[in-house]
Amino acid sequence: MPIEMYDLAASDDRVRFSPYCWRIRMAMAHKGLDFETIPVRFMEKHKIEFSGQKLVPVIRDNDKIIHDSWDIALYLDETYADRPKLIDGPQALALTDFVRSWAQTTLSTPILKTILTDLFNGLDDKDKPYFRTSREQRFGTTLENFALAPDAGRAAIKQTLTPLRDLLGRQKFICGATPAFADYIVFGVFMWAHCVSHVMLIEGEDPVQAWRERMLDLYDGLARKAPRNPA
Amino acid sequence: MPIEMYDLAASDDRVRFSPYCWRIRMAMAHKGLDFETIPVRFMEKHKIEFSGQKLVPVIRDNDKIIHDSWDIALYLDETYADRPKLIDGPQALALTDFVRSWAQTTLSTPILKTILTDLFNGLDDKDKPYFRTSREQRFGTTLENFALAPDAGRAAIKQTLTPLRDLLGRQKFICGATPAFADYIVFGVFMWAHCVSHVMLIEGEDPVQAWRERMLDLYDGLARKAPRNPA
């Protein structure tokens, strides 16, 4: 039986934009696991009530129910230990966690600000009031004030990407010669943008852009084939 | 025979402030290796001429001469493979390299700006003109313009430390339950500051500060005992 993943959906429910769900989609492909996804919009949280909490991703693997992308990744490595590792040892675990902190606290912000208008516009009408209220509370300002125009957004993203650009000038993937979970964490942030927005995030030649293209091609173009909101 | 490390020195040549040399000093202690250090001031590069280049750290281990802190760390793990690993596998290697990129391209700048006046003042008089000229060329402005006052410096450092603070709220060291090379890379930046300046870099309760205290205590207080410039 394929693993089921409950996956955040836009108005067009083929459009799946959660950076956390993208981590797991790539992780399951990395491990060669069969999976299918179930769309969950913000106002459809009843679909994951069985998991005892309100956030996606949630996976159901036979009788096991796991939530939180970090815990799901650990579960997949433990349960499918004979398949390619997402995280290959104790130091890699700790350091992948640093990449997680960097992606969530540093990289996400300028990217979110740059795609925010498109992200909001692509939501289901039933989801928009919830999104606006919860995010405006989190940001401490209106969506419109929090958003950055494309040029300002790109400049902020470029600055934030400095350490990643430096690294990817020396190696092909964040995890070395082949991609692994830290790559999927950072790539999830880019897929969040890619699925909901057509704003160009990186201009000119950039090792990060070349890495992003390689990531889009992985697993028979899994990410490249992903449905996107229209331009 | 102990390993010799050529180590950047201030005017008081017991004060050793290179962040790159600190990485290796901690790394040799981590591996339980005997070592001694030879002070090298900026205008004493003739002391490392035998290495074929002009940057410290350089180590001499019997007949082997290695330079560049990254290559030295790899050499130590390879040569002393039965001792505790600095980097414990291929993913850890790649991810430690991300920490290196982050420390060098992101963390170093606000710390350098904050300690710059003290760093300059603590140099040997013979080194000051070289330091001023080479750094002003690199920064594209005078030392005085590049430097930040303590309050502004602390604010910039606080912002930059966000991902590290997030991580160290969840785990004791950057590398997990025990420190390893990625810890020494980041700690090297803090020791650079600690040895030359008494400006407080972090205010209030902060997991990064607690980690820094733990790092100062490692290996019988190796870093805590390090000579510093006077306040």
Side-chain angles (χ1 to χ4, degrees), chain A residues 85-92 94-102 105-106 162-164 166-167 170-171 174-176 180 182, chain B residues 85-92 94-102 105-106 162-164 166-167 170-171 174-176 180 182:
Chain A
K85 286 280 186 193
L86 291 164
I87 298 172
D88 77 357
Q91 274 187 26
L95 295 167
T96 297
D97 210 354
F98 178 67
V99 173
R100 170 163 74 135
S101 286
W102 178 77
T105 69
T106 303
T162 304
L164 187 62
D166 188 58
L167 179 73
R170 291 192 296 272
Q171 61 191 40
I174 299 172
C175 289
Chain B
K85 285 280 186 194
L86 292 164
I87 298 173
D88 78 356
Q91 273 187 28
L95 294 167
T96 297
D97 209 353
F98 178 66
V99 174
R100 169 164 74 137
S101 286
W102 178 76
T105 69
T106 303
T162 304
L164 187 62
D166 187 58
L167 178 74
R170 291 192 296 273
Q171 61 192 41
I174 298 172
C175 290

Side-chain angles (χ1 to χ4, degrees), chain A residues 65-79:
Chain A
I65 292 159
I66 326 280
H67 68 91
D68 185 295
S69 64
W70 186 257
D71 291 341
I72 294 171
L74 300 183
Y75 166 83
L76 294 176
D77 261 354
E78 197 178 291
T79 308

Side-chain angles (χ1 to χ4, degrees), chain B residues 20-228:
Chain B
Y20 303 101
C21 294
W22 269 104
R23 293 178 183 179
I24 298 308
R25 189 183 289 255
M26 298 298 290
M28 290 194 288
H30 176 100
K31 295 191 82 77
L33 294 166
D34 270 346
F35 64 95
E36 55 188 38
T37 64
I38 298 103
V40 183
R41 297 205 187 95
F42 285 113
M43 297 314 286
E44 297 175 343
K45 295 290 176 70
H46 57 274
K47 289 186 181 176
I48 57 165
E49 224 166 36
F50 69 87
S51 73
Q53 51 83 59
K54 296 178 176 188
L55 298 171
V56 289
V58 172
I59 68 164
R60 189 201 297 264
D61 186 16
N62 293 304
D63 59 337
K64 290 275 185 19
I65 293 159
I66 326 279
H67 68 90
D68 185 294
S69 64
W70 185 257
D71 290 341
I72 294 170
L74 301 184
Y75 166 83
L76 295 175
D77 261 355
E78 197 178 289
T79 308
Y80 302 98
D82 54 330
R83 289 162 180 255
K85 285 280 186 194
L86 292 164
I87 298 173
D88 78 356
Q91 273 187 28
L93 177 70
L95 294 167
T96 297
D97 209 353
F98 178 66
V99 174
R100 169 164 74 137
S101 286
W102 178 76
Q104 293 180 187
T105 69
T106 303
L107 176 62
S108 288
T109 308
I111 291 187
L112 174 58
K113 288 182 177 208
T114 309
I115 65 167
L116 186 56
T117 307
D118 290 337
L119 196 168
F120 182 74
N121 291 335
L123 294 177
D124 195 72
D125 283 341
K126 289 200 203 75
D127 286 347
K128 284 179 177 168
Y130 163 80
F131 185 87
R132 179 177 285 281
T133 307
S134 61
R135 269 49 179 182
E136 293 192 342
Q137 190 163 18
R138 187 185 300 170
F139 306 151
T141 186
T142 61
L143 298 185
E144 289 70 16
N145 275 336
F146 194 70
L148 282 175
D151 275 348
R154 276 189 288 273
I157 291 165
K158 185 173 181 178
Q159 167 71 19
T160 301
L161 286 175
T162 304
L164 187 62
R165 184 179 306 114
D166 187 58
L167 178 74
L168 293 171
R170 291 192 296 273
Q171 61 192 41
K172 212 168 159 192
F173 294 100
I174 298 172
C175 290
T178 56
F181 198 54
D183 289 274
Y184 308 140
I185 289 173
V186 178
F187 185 60
V189 181
F190 283 96
M191 285 308 291
W192 185 34
H194 182 76
C195 291
V196 304
S197 174
H198 292 259
V199 173
M200 205 200 315
L201 302 183
I202 300 173
E203 269 180 328
E205 292 240 337
D206 192 313
V208 179
Q209 182 64 15
W211 164 83
R212 190 178 151 278
E213 294 293 330
R214 284 194 289 278
M215 295 297 294
L216 284 163
D217 287 338
L218 290 176
Y219 314 122
D220 198 26
L222 174 68
R224 203 180 281 286
K225 288 176 197 161
R228 306 172 69 185

Side-chain angles (χ1 to χ4, degrees), chain A residues 26 44 49 96 123 145 155 179 187 211 230:
Chain A
M26 298 299 289
E44 298 176 341
E49 223 166 37
T96 297
L123 294 177
N145 276 336
F187 185 60
W211 164 83

